[in-house]
Amino acid sequence: MNLPTCTKCKSQPSVFFRGYSGERLCKDCFIKSIIERVQRSINIYEMLEHSSKIAIGVSGGKDSLTLLHVLKIIEDNTHGSEIVAITIDEGIKGYREEALKIVKKNTRLLDLEWVHISFKKLFGISMDEIAAKTTRSLGSCSYCGVLRRRALNTAAKSIGADRLATGHTLDDMAQSAILNLIRGDLSKMHSLLPGGINQDGFVRRIKPLCEVPERETALFAYLSGFEFQSMSCPYAEEAIRNDARAWLNDMEEKRPGIMFTTFRTALKMMPQLKSTNLKACEFCGEPTAGSSCRVCQMVMDGNIRV
Ligand code: SF4
Ligand code: ZN
């Protein structure tokens, strides 16, 4: 079968049809387009300065490893920032061990420093132990998300990073925008700002893949040929986010470009929304919106000990 020719270089056979732009791209033009897209997002959302120290949260999945590979290429060619990969080992048997091996291989391949830190070491308890205690009303992911956020920030601070990059894709951004709306939680919209916000006690979080759809990170990983973990976490929940994901995927199929519109509309709302002022948690001193942070609230509920 003859594949249509790439609409960019007009010489190679295309391997991908990009519904929202109408382009058909060959392997090389596709890979180049992702690197250029990330570079553009870094520039427009003012994510980096020259010679930053960037900590990248790398779980071992296709999104975070795509981020690692793309940022390495960009930084080698432009800002010259130092990159350190950070992996949080939640302590999930049969799942996290494989991810750790994969991240190790990728960081060796790219000749990057790699730091990994476990829930057990930081909080005295593993995710398997928490899952054994949690009730259906507050599932494993609710605990894991809060602890992982803290662990990533702690690890990024400990290496003196001035940015913490995460592998959130366009799909994640659009889903979060919809979820914040339907939960009526507009104060959380600010966490979608791709360039992050400077807040005392937090390493500024940036999201360089904010305009890259998830199916394109998967194709980037596949075409680049690096190994990534495809197994899902055994505690992944059938949460409301999955409904938002299914709905957005269906809409995107019917009306290509709807994820971009959702994300950009959320960004346009930002100036009208008030951001939350953070203060120090009265127990641990970490930044929080209330008087005590979510980690300390979990400790007090008796589910974890720090
Ligand atoms: Fe943690 Fe849930 Fe992600 Fe598993 S799916 S790593 S429990 S947040
Ligand atoms: Zn091409």
Side-chain angles (χ1 to χ4, degrees):
M1 190 182 77
N2 271 345
L3 292 168
T5 309
C6 170
T7 42
K8 271 231 153 72
C9 66
K10 303 194 178 12
S11 61
Q12 300 298 316
S14 63
V15 294
F16 178 64
F17 174 63
R18 193 172 260 161
Y20 55 85
S21 67
E23 295 165 296
R24 289 188 188 280
L25 299 172
C26 69
K27 177 183 167 186
D28 291 347
C29 290
F30 173 79
I31 287 182
K32 196 165 161 248
S33 76
I34 296 295
I35 296 167
E36 283 171 358
R37 176 93 51 92
V38 175
Q39 175 75 74
R40 193 178 140 262
S41 299
I42 289 174
N43 294 342
I44 27 179
Y45 299 113
E46 298 175 348
M47 293 187 197
L48 296 172
E49 281 144 31
H50 281 275
S51 309
S52 304
K53 184 163 186 176
I54 316 168
I56 307 184
V58 186
S59 66
K62 60 187 181 352
D63 300 337
S64 60
L65 280 169
T66 291
L67 176 64
L68 189 74
H69 283 256
V70 171
L71 276 189
K72 166 80 172 139
I73 297 169
I74 291 176
E75 288 311 309
D76 281 354
N77 293 327
T78 54
H79 305 87
S81 296
E82 187 184 341
I83 292 175
V84 180
I86 295 180
T87 305
I88 307 303
D89 175 4
E90 301 92 345
I92 303 174
K93 263 215 157 14
Y95 168 67
R96 199 35 97 201
E97 300 92 332
E98 186 198 30
L100 290 169
K101 279 190 205 141
I102 291 173
V103 179
K104 188 174 181 181
K105 264 193 208 166
N106 277 276
T107 49
R108 279 205 177 149
L109 182 75
L110 296 171
D111 195 20
L112 289 172
E113 193 186 328
W114 178 46
V115 171
H116 51 105
I117 188 158
S118 67
F119 274 12
K120 191 81 181 172
K121 187 154 181 247
L122 272 179
F123 308 115
I125 193 163
S126 70
M127 208 39 230
D128 284 335
E129 289 163 334
I130 293 175
K133 291 181 172 194
T134 50
T135 57
R136 280 188 73 81
S137 60
L138 190 54
S140 306
C141 294
S142 310
Y143 286 97
C144 187
V146 172
L147 298 183
R148 203 140 52 110
R149 239 180 112 77
R150 170 67 59 87
L152 273 173
N153 194 53
T154 304
K157 272 203 270 190
S158 75
I159 58 159
D162 40 35
R163 295 290 186 277
L164 170 57
T166 55
H168 291 92
T169 60
L170 174 66
D171 300 44
D172 297 317
M173 306 302 263
Q175 288 158 20
S176 297
I178 296 286
L179 289 175
N180 290 339
L181 270 182
I182 58 181
R183 285 175 176 146
D185 198 354
L186 295 183
S187 64
K188 288 231 175 85
M189 280 295 187
H190 284 271
S191 66
L192 293 184
L193 280 172
I197 317 171
N198 287 319
Q199 284 173 319
D200 282 349
F202 277 117
V203 178
R204 195 167 128 193
R205 297 172 82 102
I206 58 170
K207 300 177 176 73
L209 300 184
C210 62
E211 297 196 327
V212 181
E214 205 172 302
R215 62 189 291 247
E216 297 189 26
T217 61
L219 185 62
F220 183 93
Y222 172 72
L223 293 176
S224 303
F226 57 78
E227 197 182 338
F228 60 90
Q229 188 179 37
S230 36
M231 183 201 294
S232 324
C233 171
Y235 303 125
E237 291 157 15
E238 292 297 310
I240 187 168
R241 180 172 283 273
N242 284 353
D243 296 335
R245 175 182 295 121
W247 181 76
L248 274 164
N249 286 347
D250 185 43
M251 294 290 276
E252 182 69 31
E253 193 68 35
K254 292 178 189 150
R255 298 172 185 80
I258 206 121
M259 289 214 208
F260 277 104
T261 315
T262 308
F263 170 50
R264 287 181 184 152
T265 305
L267 289 185
K268 276 191 207 152
M269 289 165 64
M270 300 289 178
Q272 270 85 315
L273 303 172
K274 268 218 235 135
S275 62
T276 316
N277 284 329
L278 297 179
K279 37 191 178 250
C281 166
E282 60 182 285
F283 299 105
C284 70
E286 288 290 321
T288 175
S291 55
S292 59
C293 73
R294 299 252 339 253
V295 175
C296 286
Q297 286 165 18
M298 287 178 184
V299 174
M300 286 183 283
D301 288 348
N303 280 296
I304 63 168
R305 59 193 159 82
V306 181

